[in-house]
Short mmCIF file of all heavy atoms in Angstrom, two decimals:
data_model
loop_
_atom_site.label_atom_id
_atom_site.label_comp_id
_atom_site.label_asym_id
_atom_site.label_seq_id
_atom_site.Cartn_x
_atom_site.Cartn_y
_atom_site.Cartn_z
N VAL A 220 55.77 -48.26 -5.76
CA VAL A 220 55.42 -46.95 -6.16
C VAL A 220 55.23 -46.86 -7.65
O VAL A 220 56.14 -47.35 -8.34
CB VAL A 220 56.43 -45.88 -5.71
CG1 VAL A 220 56.18 -44.55 -6.17
CG2 VAL A 220 56.62 -45.99 -4.15
N VAL A 221 54.18 -46.27 -8.09
CA VAL A 221 53.87 -46.07 -9.51
C VAL A 221 54.12 -44.60 -9.85
O VAL A 221 53.43 -43.76 -9.15
CB VAL A 221 52.46 -46.64 -9.86
CG1 VAL A 221 52.17 -46.42 -11.39
CG2 VAL A 221 52.36 -48.08 -9.55
N TYR A 222 54.74 -44.31 -10.91
CA TYR A 222 54.91 -42.95 -11.29
C TYR A 222 54.15 -42.75 -12.67
O TYR A 222 54.18 -43.79 -13.53
CB TYR A 222 56.33 -42.59 -11.50
CG TYR A 222 57.03 -42.61 -10.18
CD1 TYR A 222 57.73 -43.62 -9.76
CD2 TYR A 222 56.99 -41.40 -9.42
CE1 TYR A 222 58.53 -43.63 -8.59
CE2 TYR A 222 57.62 -41.40 -8.21
CZ TYR A 222 58.30 -42.44 -7.72
OH TYR A 222 58.97 -42.46 -6.48
N VAL A 223 53.59 -41.71 -12.96
CA VAL A 223 52.77 -41.39 -14.14
C VAL A 223 53.78 -40.75 -15.10
O VAL A 223 54.58 -39.78 -14.70
CB VAL A 223 51.66 -40.37 -13.94
CG1 VAL A 223 50.99 -39.98 -15.26
CG2 VAL A 223 50.68 -41.08 -13.03
N ASP A 224 53.87 -41.24 -16.32
CA ASP A 224 54.86 -40.71 -17.32
C ASP A 224 54.47 -39.23 -17.58
O ASP A 224 53.32 -38.99 -17.89
CB ASP A 224 54.74 -41.50 -18.57
CG ASP A 224 55.75 -41.12 -19.66
OD1 ASP A 224 56.93 -40.76 -19.27
OD2 ASP A 224 55.55 -41.27 -20.80
N GLY A 225 55.42 -38.32 -17.36
CA GLY A 225 55.11 -36.95 -17.45
C GLY A 225 54.76 -36.30 -16.23
O GLY A 225 54.44 -35.06 -16.19
N GLY A 226 54.53 -37.09 -15.11
CA GLY A 226 54.24 -36.59 -13.79
C GLY A 226 52.59 -36.51 -13.62
O GLY A 226 51.91 -36.58 -14.56
N TRP A 227 52.26 -36.29 -12.34
CA TRP A 227 50.82 -36.32 -12.07
C TRP A 227 50.23 -35.08 -12.74
O TRP A 227 48.93 -35.22 -13.20
CB TRP A 227 50.57 -36.20 -10.57
CG TRP A 227 50.85 -37.59 -10.00
CD1 TRP A 227 52.04 -37.96 -9.27
CD2 TRP A 227 50.08 -38.75 -10.08
NE1 TRP A 227 51.96 -39.15 -8.79
CE2 TRP A 227 50.82 -39.71 -9.30
CE3 TRP A 227 48.82 -39.08 -10.56
CZ2 TRP A 227 50.32 -41.06 -9.22
CZ3 TRP A 227 48.42 -40.31 -10.54
CH2 TRP A 227 49.09 -41.35 -9.77
N GLY A 228 50.93 -34.02 -13.03
CA GLY A 228 50.25 -32.85 -13.67
C GLY A 228 49.76 -33.28 -15.12
O GLY A 228 48.73 -32.77 -15.57
N SER A 229 50.43 -34.13 -15.79
CA SER A 229 49.99 -34.68 -17.10
C SER A 229 48.77 -35.32 -17.00
O SER A 229 47.93 -35.20 -17.98
CB SER A 229 51.16 -35.41 -17.87
OG SER A 229 51.33 -36.57 -17.17
N LEU A 230 48.57 -36.07 -15.97
CA LEU A 230 47.29 -36.78 -15.78
C LEU A 230 46.10 -35.79 -15.71
O LEU A 230 45.13 -35.92 -16.26
CB LEU A 230 47.37 -37.75 -14.61
CG LEU A 230 46.06 -38.46 -14.25
CD1 LEU A 230 45.66 -39.50 -15.37
CD2 LEU A 230 46.24 -39.24 -12.98
N VAL A 231 46.40 -34.81 -14.76
CA VAL A 231 45.35 -33.77 -14.51
C VAL A 231 45.02 -33.07 -15.81
O VAL A 231 43.83 -32.82 -16.10
CB VAL A 231 45.82 -32.85 -13.45
CG1 VAL A 231 44.90 -31.67 -13.24
CG2 VAL A 231 45.93 -33.57 -12.08
N GLU A 232 46.04 -32.70 -16.49
CA GLU A 232 45.77 -31.89 -17.77
C GLU A 232 45.03 -32.76 -18.80
O GLU A 232 44.06 -32.25 -19.44
CB GLU A 232 47.09 -31.38 -18.32
CG GLU A 232 47.74 -30.29 -17.55
CD GLU A 232 46.76 -29.05 -17.37
OE1 GLU A 232 46.19 -28.69 -18.42
OE2 GLU A 232 46.63 -28.55 -16.35
N GLY A 233 45.38 -33.99 -18.82
CA GLY A 233 44.72 -34.91 -19.83
C GLY A 233 43.23 -35.05 -19.47
O GLY A 233 42.34 -35.11 -20.29
N LEU A 234 42.84 -35.26 -18.13
CA LEU A 234 41.56 -35.33 -17.80
C LEU A 234 40.82 -34.03 -17.96
O LEU A 234 39.58 -34.03 -18.39
CB LEU A 234 41.59 -35.70 -16.21
CG LEU A 234 41.93 -37.17 -15.91
CD1 LEU A 234 42.00 -37.24 -14.30
CD2 LEU A 234 40.86 -38.13 -16.43
N SER A 235 41.47 -32.99 -17.73
CA SER A 235 40.85 -31.65 -18.05
C SER A 235 40.49 -31.50 -19.45
O SER A 235 39.39 -31.03 -19.74
CB SER A 235 41.78 -30.47 -17.51
OG SER A 235 41.96 -30.57 -16.17
N ARG A 236 41.42 -31.82 -20.37
CA ARG A 236 41.15 -31.65 -21.82
C ARG A 236 39.96 -32.65 -22.22
O ARG A 236 39.06 -32.27 -22.98
CB ARG A 236 42.39 -32.04 -22.65
CG ARG A 236 43.40 -30.88 -22.67
CD ARG A 236 44.41 -31.20 -23.68
NE ARG A 236 45.19 -32.39 -23.48
CZ ARG A 236 46.24 -32.61 -22.65
NH1 ARG A 236 46.76 -31.60 -21.97
NH2 ARG A 236 46.87 -33.79 -22.48
N ALA A 237 39.97 -33.82 -21.66
CA ALA A 237 38.88 -34.73 -22.03
C ALA A 237 37.55 -34.27 -21.62
O ALA A 237 36.57 -34.28 -22.29
CB ALA A 237 39.19 -36.15 -21.50
N PHE A 238 37.46 -33.69 -20.38
CA PHE A 238 36.30 -33.13 -19.80
C PHE A 238 35.79 -31.98 -20.69
O PHE A 238 34.65 -31.95 -21.04
CB PHE A 238 36.52 -32.60 -18.34
CG PHE A 238 35.39 -31.95 -17.71
CD1 PHE A 238 34.38 -32.78 -17.24
CD2 PHE A 238 35.39 -30.56 -17.53
CE1 PHE A 238 33.22 -32.09 -16.63
CE2 PHE A 238 34.27 -29.95 -16.93
CZ PHE A 238 33.27 -30.69 -16.48
N VAL A 239 36.66 -31.00 -21.08
CA VAL A 239 36.22 -29.86 -21.87
C VAL A 239 35.80 -30.30 -23.23
O VAL A 239 34.86 -29.85 -23.81
CB VAL A 239 37.36 -28.80 -21.89
CG1 VAL A 239 37.03 -27.74 -22.96
CG2 VAL A 239 37.63 -28.22 -20.50
N SER A 240 36.49 -31.30 -23.83
CA SER A 240 36.21 -31.88 -25.13
C SER A 240 34.84 -32.52 -25.13
O SER A 240 34.12 -32.48 -26.22
CB SER A 240 37.27 -32.91 -25.51
OG SER A 240 38.47 -32.28 -25.89
N ALA A 241 34.47 -33.03 -24.02
CA ALA A 241 33.09 -33.62 -23.85
C ALA A 241 32.01 -32.65 -23.59
O ALA A 241 30.81 -33.09 -23.39
CB ALA A 241 33.17 -34.77 -22.75
N GLY A 242 32.32 -31.28 -23.56
CA GLY A 242 31.29 -30.39 -23.32
C GLY A 242 31.31 -29.84 -21.82
O GLY A 242 30.40 -28.98 -21.62
N GLY A 243 32.24 -30.15 -21.06
CA GLY A 243 32.30 -29.77 -19.79
C GLY A 243 32.71 -28.25 -19.54
O GLY A 243 33.38 -27.74 -20.46
N ASP A 244 32.37 -27.60 -18.57
CA ASP A 244 32.65 -26.22 -18.36
C ASP A 244 33.61 -26.26 -17.00
O ASP A 244 33.26 -26.38 -15.97
CB ASP A 244 31.43 -25.52 -17.97
CG ASP A 244 31.72 -23.89 -17.73
OD1 ASP A 244 32.94 -23.48 -17.86
OD2 ASP A 244 30.74 -23.19 -17.48
N LEU A 245 34.94 -26.06 -17.38
CA LEU A 245 35.90 -26.14 -16.36
C LEU A 245 36.31 -24.74 -15.86
O LEU A 245 36.65 -23.96 -16.63
CB LEU A 245 37.13 -26.90 -16.95
CG LEU A 245 38.36 -27.07 -15.89
CD1 LEU A 245 37.93 -27.98 -14.76
CD2 LEU A 245 39.56 -27.60 -16.58
N ARG A 246 36.27 -24.62 -14.63
CA ARG A 246 36.52 -23.21 -14.06
C ARG A 246 37.58 -23.49 -12.97
O ARG A 246 37.25 -24.02 -11.84
CB ARG A 246 35.39 -22.57 -13.53
CG ARG A 246 34.43 -22.31 -14.67
CD ARG A 246 33.19 -21.58 -14.14
NE ARG A 246 32.29 -21.49 -15.25
CZ ARG A 246 31.29 -20.55 -15.31
NH1 ARG A 246 31.24 -19.69 -14.41
NH2 ARG A 246 30.50 -20.65 -16.38
N ARG A 247 38.79 -23.08 -13.19
CA ARG A 247 39.85 -23.25 -12.17
C ARG A 247 40.18 -21.98 -11.38
O ARG A 247 39.93 -20.87 -11.81
CB ARG A 247 41.15 -23.57 -12.82
CG ARG A 247 41.17 -24.87 -13.64
CD ARG A 247 42.46 -25.06 -14.29
NE ARG A 247 42.44 -26.33 -14.95
CZ ARG A 247 43.56 -26.90 -15.61
NH1 ARG A 247 44.70 -26.23 -15.59
NH2 ARG A 247 43.46 -27.97 -16.23
N GLY A 248 40.56 -22.13 -10.13
CA GLY A 248 40.84 -21.02 -9.30
C GLY A 248 39.65 -20.25 -8.89
O GLY A 248 39.93 -19.11 -8.49
N VAL A 249 38.55 -20.65 -8.92
CA VAL A 249 37.32 -19.90 -8.54
C VAL A 249 37.07 -20.25 -7.09
O VAL A 249 37.02 -21.33 -6.58
CB VAL A 249 36.08 -20.40 -9.35
CG1 VAL A 249 34.79 -19.71 -8.82
CG2 VAL A 249 36.23 -20.12 -10.78
N ARG A 250 36.83 -19.22 -6.27
CA ARG A 250 36.59 -19.27 -4.84
C ARG A 250 35.05 -19.53 -4.61
O ARG A 250 34.29 -18.66 -4.75
CB ARG A 250 37.10 -18.15 -3.99
CG ARG A 250 36.85 -18.34 -2.52
CD ARG A 250 37.55 -17.44 -1.67
NE ARG A 250 39.07 -17.55 -1.68
CZ ARG A 250 39.72 -18.44 -1.10
NH1 ARG A 250 39.00 -19.34 -0.31
NH2 ARG A 250 41.05 -18.54 -1.21
N VAL A 251 34.68 -20.78 -4.47
CA VAL A 251 33.28 -21.08 -4.24
C VAL A 251 32.88 -20.74 -2.79
O VAL A 251 33.55 -21.08 -1.86
CB VAL A 251 32.98 -22.61 -4.51
CG1 VAL A 251 31.55 -22.99 -4.25
CG2 VAL A 251 33.32 -22.92 -6.05
N GLN A 252 31.74 -20.07 -2.67
CA GLN A 252 31.30 -19.65 -1.37
C GLN A 252 30.16 -20.61 -0.89
O GLN A 252 30.04 -20.65 0.32
CB GLN A 252 30.65 -18.21 -1.45
CG GLN A 252 31.75 -17.16 -1.77
CD GLN A 252 31.24 -15.75 -1.82
OE1 GLN A 252 30.23 -15.59 -2.44
NE2 GLN A 252 31.98 -14.83 -1.36
N GLY A 253 29.47 -21.26 -1.82
CA GLY A 253 28.52 -22.19 -1.43
C GLY A 253 27.90 -22.93 -2.65
O GLY A 253 27.94 -22.40 -3.73
N VAL A 254 27.25 -24.06 -2.35
CA VAL A 254 26.65 -24.84 -3.41
C VAL A 254 25.24 -25.22 -2.84
O VAL A 254 25.06 -25.75 -1.72
CB VAL A 254 27.35 -26.09 -3.71
CG1 VAL A 254 26.67 -27.03 -4.75
CG2 VAL A 254 28.81 -25.77 -4.27
N GLU A 255 24.10 -24.96 -3.49
CA GLU A 255 22.88 -25.36 -3.21
C GLU A 255 22.31 -26.38 -4.13
O GLU A 255 22.56 -26.43 -5.26
CB GLU A 255 21.85 -24.14 -3.31
CG GLU A 255 22.16 -23.10 -2.30
CD GLU A 255 21.15 -21.95 -2.56
OE1 GLU A 255 20.01 -22.19 -2.36
OE2 GLU A 255 21.60 -20.87 -2.91
N VAL A 256 21.59 -27.34 -3.51
CA VAL A 256 20.84 -28.37 -4.29
C VAL A 256 19.62 -27.82 -4.78
O VAL A 256 18.84 -27.28 -4.03
CB VAL A 256 20.61 -29.66 -3.49
CG1 VAL A 256 19.93 -30.79 -4.31
CG2 VAL A 256 21.95 -30.30 -2.89
N VAL A 257 19.32 -27.78 -6.12
CA VAL A 257 18.19 -27.23 -6.64
C VAL A 257 17.53 -28.33 -7.63
O VAL A 257 18.22 -29.25 -7.86
CB VAL A 257 18.47 -25.86 -7.38
CG1 VAL A 257 18.97 -24.85 -6.46
CG2 VAL A 257 19.36 -26.06 -8.60
N ASP A 258 16.31 -28.05 -8.04
CA ASP A 258 15.68 -28.89 -9.07
C ASP A 258 16.65 -29.16 -10.21
O ASP A 258 17.05 -28.14 -10.92
CB ASP A 258 14.35 -28.40 -9.49
CG ASP A 258 13.28 -28.53 -8.39
OD1 ASP A 258 13.50 -29.35 -7.53
OD2 ASP A 258 12.31 -27.70 -8.55
N GLY A 259 16.95 -30.42 -10.55
CA GLY A 259 17.76 -30.70 -11.68
C GLY A 259 19.28 -30.60 -11.48
O GLY A 259 19.92 -30.74 -12.48
N GLY A 260 19.68 -30.21 -10.32
CA GLY A 260 21.07 -30.15 -10.08
C GLY A 260 21.50 -29.29 -8.90
O GLY A 260 21.12 -29.42 -7.86
N PHE A 261 22.37 -28.30 -9.26
CA PHE A 261 23.00 -27.48 -8.30
C PHE A 261 23.16 -26.02 -8.75
O PHE A 261 23.10 -25.80 -9.93
CB PHE A 261 24.46 -27.97 -7.96
CG PHE A 261 24.44 -29.47 -7.62
CD1 PHE A 261 24.63 -30.44 -8.47
CD2 PHE A 261 24.36 -29.76 -6.21
CE1 PHE A 261 24.66 -31.77 -8.08
CE2 PHE A 261 24.42 -31.08 -5.88
CZ PHE A 261 24.58 -32.09 -6.78
N GLU A 262 23.13 -25.17 -7.83
CA GLU A 262 23.49 -23.74 -8.13
C GLU A 262 24.83 -23.40 -7.26
O GLU A 262 24.83 -23.62 -6.16
CB GLU A 262 22.38 -22.93 -7.59
CG GLU A 262 22.50 -21.40 -8.09
CD GLU A 262 21.19 -20.61 -7.93
OE1 GLU A 262 21.14 -20.14 -6.79
OE2 GLU A 262 20.54 -20.65 -8.86
N VAL A 263 25.83 -22.99 -7.99
CA VAL A 263 27.12 -22.71 -7.41
C VAL A 263 27.22 -21.24 -7.15
O VAL A 263 27.04 -20.45 -8.13
CB VAL A 263 28.32 -23.12 -8.27
CG1 VAL A 263 29.62 -22.92 -7.58
CG2 VAL A 263 28.17 -24.74 -8.48
N HIS A 264 27.55 -20.78 -6.03
CA HIS A 264 27.79 -19.33 -5.66
C HIS A 264 29.20 -19.11 -5.48
O HIS A 264 29.99 -19.74 -4.62
CB HIS A 264 27.02 -19.04 -4.39
CG HIS A 264 25.50 -19.22 -4.64
ND1 HIS A 264 24.69 -18.34 -5.11
CD2 HIS A 264 24.82 -20.41 -4.23
CE1 HIS A 264 23.49 -18.83 -5.13
NE2 HIS A 264 23.46 -20.08 -4.67
N ALA A 265 29.83 -18.21 -6.37
CA ALA A 265 31.16 -17.88 -6.27
C ALA A 265 31.34 -16.37 -6.12
O ALA A 265 30.57 -15.56 -6.46
CB ALA A 265 31.88 -18.36 -7.56
N ALA A 266 32.52 -16.00 -5.47
CA ALA A 266 32.81 -14.65 -5.21
C ALA A 266 32.83 -13.83 -6.55
O ALA A 266 33.53 -14.17 -7.48
CB ALA A 266 34.16 -14.51 -4.44
N GLY A 267 32.18 -12.71 -6.56
CA GLY A 267 32.18 -11.85 -7.63
C GLY A 267 31.63 -12.28 -8.92
O GLY A 267 31.87 -11.81 -10.15
N ALA A 268 30.77 -13.32 -8.87
CA ALA A 268 30.08 -13.91 -10.05
C ALA A 268 28.68 -14.28 -9.86
O ALA A 268 28.26 -14.56 -8.75
CB ALA A 268 30.83 -15.15 -10.47
N PRO A 269 27.79 -14.20 -11.00
CA PRO A 269 26.46 -14.59 -10.81
C PRO A 269 26.45 -16.07 -10.54
O PRO A 269 27.33 -16.76 -10.83
CB PRO A 269 25.79 -14.22 -12.15
CG PRO A 269 26.98 -14.17 -13.04
CD PRO A 269 28.10 -13.76 -12.36
N PRO A 270 25.32 -16.59 -9.93
CA PRO A 270 25.16 -18.04 -9.61
C PRO A 270 25.29 -18.89 -10.97
O PRO A 270 24.82 -18.43 -11.99
CB PRO A 270 23.81 -18.23 -8.96
CG PRO A 270 23.46 -16.80 -8.38
CD PRO A 270 24.23 -15.81 -9.38
N LEU A 271 25.90 -20.08 -10.86
CA LEU A 271 26.05 -20.89 -12.01
C LEU A 271 25.17 -22.14 -11.72
O LEU A 271 25.30 -22.74 -10.58
CB LEU A 271 27.48 -21.30 -12.09
CG LEU A 271 27.83 -22.42 -13.05
CD1 LEU A 271 27.66 -21.92 -14.53
CD2 LEU A 271 29.20 -22.92 -12.97
N ARG A 272 24.28 -22.46 -12.56
CA ARG A 272 23.53 -23.69 -12.49
C ARG A 272 24.18 -24.83 -13.25
O ARG A 272 24.69 -24.60 -14.29
CB ARG A 272 22.01 -23.43 -13.01
CG ARG A 272 21.33 -22.46 -12.04
CD ARG A 272 19.84 -22.41 -12.38
NE ARG A 272 19.26 -23.77 -12.06
CZ ARG A 272 18.26 -23.81 -11.14
NH1 ARG A 272 17.78 -22.79 -10.49
NH2 ARG A 272 17.73 -25.03 -10.86
N ALA A 273 24.19 -26.13 -12.64
CA ALA A 273 24.79 -27.12 -13.28
C ALA A 273 24.00 -28.44 -12.88
O ALA A 273 23.56 -28.54 -11.70
CB ALA A 273 26.26 -27.21 -12.86
N ARG A 274 24.15 -29.55 -13.75
CA ARG A 274 23.62 -30.82 -13.30
C ARG A 274 24.41 -31.52 -12.46
O ARG A 274 24.12 -32.31 -11.69
CB ARG A 274 23.28 -31.65 -14.57
CG ARG A 274 22.04 -31.11 -15.42
CD ARG A 274 21.95 -32.06 -16.67
NE ARG A 274 23.11 -31.94 -17.39
CZ ARG A 274 23.23 -32.53 -18.57
NH1 ARG A 274 22.27 -33.21 -18.99
NH2 ARG A 274 24.36 -32.36 -19.21
N THR A 275 25.83 -31.30 -12.67
CA THR A 275 26.96 -31.99 -11.90
C THR A 275 27.97 -30.99 -11.54
O THR A 275 28.29 -30.11 -12.28
CB THR A 275 27.51 -33.23 -12.69
OG1 THR A 275 26.47 -33.99 -13.25
CG2 THR A 275 28.51 -33.94 -11.97
N VAL A 276 28.49 -31.15 -10.36
CA VAL A 276 29.50 -30.29 -9.78
C VAL A 276 30.59 -31.16 -9.20
O VAL A 276 30.31 -32.08 -8.50
CB VAL A 276 29.01 -29.37 -8.65
CG1 VAL A 276 30.12 -28.50 -8.07
CG2 VAL A 276 27.95 -28.39 -9.26
N VAL A 277 31.88 -30.77 -9.54
CA VAL A 277 33.00 -31.40 -8.94
C VAL A 277 33.74 -30.46 -8.18
O VAL A 277 34.16 -29.43 -8.66
CB VAL A 277 33.93 -32.14 -10.04
CG1 VAL A 277 35.19 -32.68 -9.35
CG2 VAL A 277 33.14 -33.08 -10.86
N LEU A 278 33.88 -30.71 -6.93
CA LEU A 278 34.73 -29.81 -6.04
C LEU A 278 35.93 -30.37 -5.70
O LEU A 278 36.09 -31.53 -5.07
CB LEU A 278 33.91 -29.64 -4.66
CG LEU A 278 32.47 -28.80 -4.85
CD1 LEU A 278 31.78 -28.87 -3.54
CD2 LEU A 278 32.70 -27.52 -5.32
N ALA A 279 37.07 -29.83 -6.20
CA ALA A 279 38.42 -30.41 -5.88
C ALA A 279 38.97 -29.89 -4.65
O ALA A 279 39.95 -29.19 -4.58
CB ALA A 279 39.33 -30.08 -7.09
N VAL A 280 38.33 -30.25 -3.68
CA VAL A 280 38.75 -30.00 -2.17
C VAL A 280 38.64 -31.15 -1.33
O VAL A 280 37.93 -32.16 -1.61
CB VAL A 280 37.78 -28.74 -1.66
CG1 VAL A 280 38.06 -27.55 -2.51
CG2 VAL A 280 36.38 -29.15 -1.61
N PRO A 281 39.23 -31.15 -0.06
CA PRO A 281 38.95 -32.15 0.78
C PRO A 281 37.49 -32.41 1.20
O PRO A 281 36.73 -31.45 1.08
CB PRO A 281 39.75 -31.81 2.01
CG PRO A 281 40.76 -30.78 1.56
CD PRO A 281 40.09 -30.06 0.44
N PRO A 282 37.02 -33.62 1.54
CA PRO A 282 35.66 -33.85 1.83
C PRO A 282 35.09 -32.89 2.93
O PRO A 282 34.03 -32.46 2.86
CB PRO A 282 35.70 -35.28 2.39
CG PRO A 282 36.84 -35.91 1.71
CD PRO A 282 37.90 -34.85 1.63
N SER A 283 35.96 -32.57 3.89
CA SER A 283 35.39 -31.71 4.94
C SER A 283 35.00 -30.27 4.39
O SER A 283 34.09 -29.70 4.78
CB SER A 283 36.36 -31.56 6.07
OG SER A 283 37.57 -31.06 5.69
N SER A 284 35.89 -29.82 3.50
CA SER A 284 35.64 -28.56 2.76
C SER A 284 34.35 -28.64 1.91
O SER A 284 33.50 -27.69 1.87
CB SER A 284 36.86 -28.13 1.97
OG SER A 284 37.91 -27.95 2.81
N ALA A 285 34.30 -29.72 1.19
CA ALA A 285 33.08 -29.90 0.41
C ALA A 285 31.80 -29.95 1.19
O ALA A 285 30.86 -29.30 0.79
CB ALA A 285 33.25 -31.21 -0.45
N SER A 286 31.84 -30.70 2.29
CA SER A 286 30.59 -30.70 3.17
C SER A 286 30.18 -29.35 3.60
O SER A 286 29.11 -29.08 3.96
CB SER A 286 30.77 -31.81 4.16
OG SER A 286 31.67 -31.46 5.19
N ALA A 287 31.21 -28.55 3.94
CA ALA A 287 30.97 -27.16 4.42
C ALA A 287 30.32 -26.29 3.37
O ALA A 287 29.64 -25.33 3.64
CB ALA A 287 32.32 -26.64 5.00
N LEU A 288 30.73 -26.51 2.17
CA LEU A 288 30.29 -25.76 1.00
C LEU A 288 28.81 -26.04 0.55
O LEU A 288 28.10 -25.18 0.18
CB LEU A 288 31.19 -25.78 -0.15
CG LEU A 288 32.59 -25.14 -0.07
CD1 LEU A 288 33.39 -25.61 -1.29
CD2 LEU A 288 32.48 -23.58 0.00
N VAL A 289 28.44 -27.32 0.54
CA VAL A 289 27.14 -27.76 0.23
C VAL A 289 26.11 -27.66 1.33
O VAL A 289 26.31 -28.16 2.41
CB VAL A 289 27.24 -29.18 -0.31
CG1 VAL A 289 25.86 -29.66 -0.84
CG2 VAL A 289 28.29 -29.46 -1.39
N ALA A 290 25.09 -26.92 1.00
CA ALA A 290 24.02 -26.72 1.96
C ALA A 290 23.50 -28.11 2.38
O ALA A 290 23.10 -28.78 1.55
CB ALA A 290 22.90 -25.77 1.38
N GLY A 291 23.49 -28.36 3.73
CA GLY A 291 23.05 -29.64 4.11
C GLY A 291 23.99 -30.77 3.74
O GLY A 291 23.62 -32.00 3.75
N GLY A 292 25.23 -30.48 3.37
CA GLY A 292 26.21 -31.43 2.88
C GLY A 292 26.60 -32.47 3.77
O GLY A 292 27.04 -33.46 3.36
N ARG A 293 26.40 -32.30 5.07
CA ARG A 293 26.87 -33.39 6.07
C ARG A 293 25.90 -34.48 6.19
O ARG A 293 26.19 -35.51 6.68
CB ARG A 293 27.10 -32.78 7.30
CG ARG A 293 28.33 -31.79 7.32
CD ARG A 293 28.64 -31.23 8.70
NE ARG A 293 29.53 -30.15 8.50
CZ ARG A 293 30.74 -30.24 9.06
NH1 ARG A 293 31.08 -31.22 9.74
NH2 ARG A 293 31.66 -29.25 8.87
N ARG A 294 24.70 -34.27 5.54
CA ARG A 294 23.65 -35.38 5.56
C ARG A 294 24.20 -36.62 4.79
O ARG A 294 24.59 -36.57 3.68
CB ARG A 294 22.38 -34.89 4.94
CG ARG A 294 21.32 -34.32 5.88
CD ARG A 294 20.22 -34.03 5.11
NE ARG A 294 20.58 -33.07 4.04
CZ ARG A 294 19.87 -32.72 3.03
NH1 ARG A 294 18.63 -33.16 2.99
NH2 ARG A 294 20.32 -31.89 2.14
N GLY A 295 24.16 -37.81 5.44
CA GLY A 295 24.40 -38.95 4.75
C GLY A 295 25.84 -39.34 4.48
O GLY A 295 26.22 -40.33 3.92
N LEU A 296 26.83 -38.42 4.98
CA LEU A 296 28.18 -38.62 4.82
C LEU A 296 28.77 -39.38 5.97
O LEU A 296 28.35 -39.25 7.14
CB LEU A 296 29.00 -37.22 4.74
CG LEU A 296 28.79 -36.46 3.45
CD1 LEU A 296 29.64 -35.15 3.59
CD2 LEU A 296 29.25 -37.24 2.21
N PRO A 297 29.81 -40.20 5.76
CA PRO A 297 30.46 -40.87 6.92
C PRO A 297 30.96 -39.69 7.83
O PRO A 297 31.34 -38.60 7.30
CB PRO A 297 31.66 -41.57 6.25
CG PRO A 297 31.14 -41.81 4.81
CD PRO A 297 30.30 -40.62 4.52
N ALA A 298 30.94 -39.90 9.13
CA ALA A 298 31.31 -38.84 10.12
C ALA A 298 32.71 -38.32 9.86
O ALA A 298 32.95 -37.16 9.94
CB ALA A 298 31.13 -39.28 11.52
N ALA A 299 33.69 -39.32 9.44
CA ALA A 299 35.01 -38.83 9.25
C ALA A 299 35.21 -37.85 8.15
O ALA A 299 36.17 -37.14 8.12
CB ALA A 299 35.94 -40.13 9.00
N TRP A 300 34.36 -37.92 7.12
CA TRP A 300 34.45 -36.92 6.00
C TRP A 300 34.19 -35.56 6.33
O TRP A 300 34.66 -34.63 5.72
CB TRP A 300 33.45 -37.41 4.94
CG TRP A 300 33.76 -38.65 4.15
CD1 TRP A 300 34.75 -39.55 4.47
CD2 TRP A 300 33.35 -38.98 2.89
NE1 TRP A 300 34.82 -40.53 3.67
CE2 TRP A 300 33.98 -40.36 2.64
CE3 TRP A 300 32.41 -38.54 1.98
CZ2 TRP A 300 33.68 -40.94 1.35
CZ3 TRP A 300 32.13 -39.24 0.83
CH2 TRP A 300 32.83 -40.36 0.52
N ALA A 301 33.30 -35.36 7.41
CA ALA A 301 32.95 -33.99 7.78
C ALA A 301 33.99 -33.36 8.70
O ALA A 301 33.82 -32.33 9.23
CB ALA A 301 31.65 -33.98 8.37
N GLU A 302 34.99 -34.16 9.13
CA GLU A 302 36.03 -33.57 10.15
C GLU A 302 37.14 -32.93 9.40
O GLU A 302 37.45 -33.24 8.36
CB GLU A 302 36.43 -34.86 10.98
CG GLU A 302 35.37 -35.49 11.79
CD GLU A 302 35.78 -36.73 12.44
OE1 GLU A 302 36.90 -37.17 12.29
OE2 GLU A 302 34.98 -37.25 13.31
#
């Protein structure tokens, strides 16, 4: 068993800071209703917010939840990921 000095939360916080420092737009606690593939990236639809366009999207959810959020998301995924 390997433990992270400071706990796993310190790893997540460090990655979050690095992402934002590199120009990333981090949004925590946002309830995403759907993600559409559009020219040049994605359009993210969240409750109570205008659509957000992005070149890259990271969904911190299980694969089955991600495939349900992304329009046509089950295409090309291993069957177990969509379960």
Side-chain angles (χ1 to χ4, degrees):
V220 175
V221 177
Y222 294 96
V223 175
D224 189 31
W227 287 104
S229 66
L230 176 65
V231 171
E232 288 304 315
L234 289 170
S235 298
R236 282 192 303 277
F238 177 74
V239 171
S240 293
D244 181 2
L245 180 64
R246 300 185 185 201
R247 295 180 181 186
V249 174
R250 181 164 297 277
V251 173
Q252 295 175 319
V254 179
E255 290 181 62
V256 178
V257 296
D258 287 338
F261 303 90
E262 188 167 88
V263 180
H264 300 274
L271 171 70
R272 292 190 68 121
R274 287 182 302 185
T275 305
V276 173
V277 176
L278 298 171
V280 297
S283 59
S284 298
S286 69
L288 288 171
V289 179
R293 293 177 188 247
R294 266 181 305 168
L296 289 178
W300 286 17
E302 296 173 355

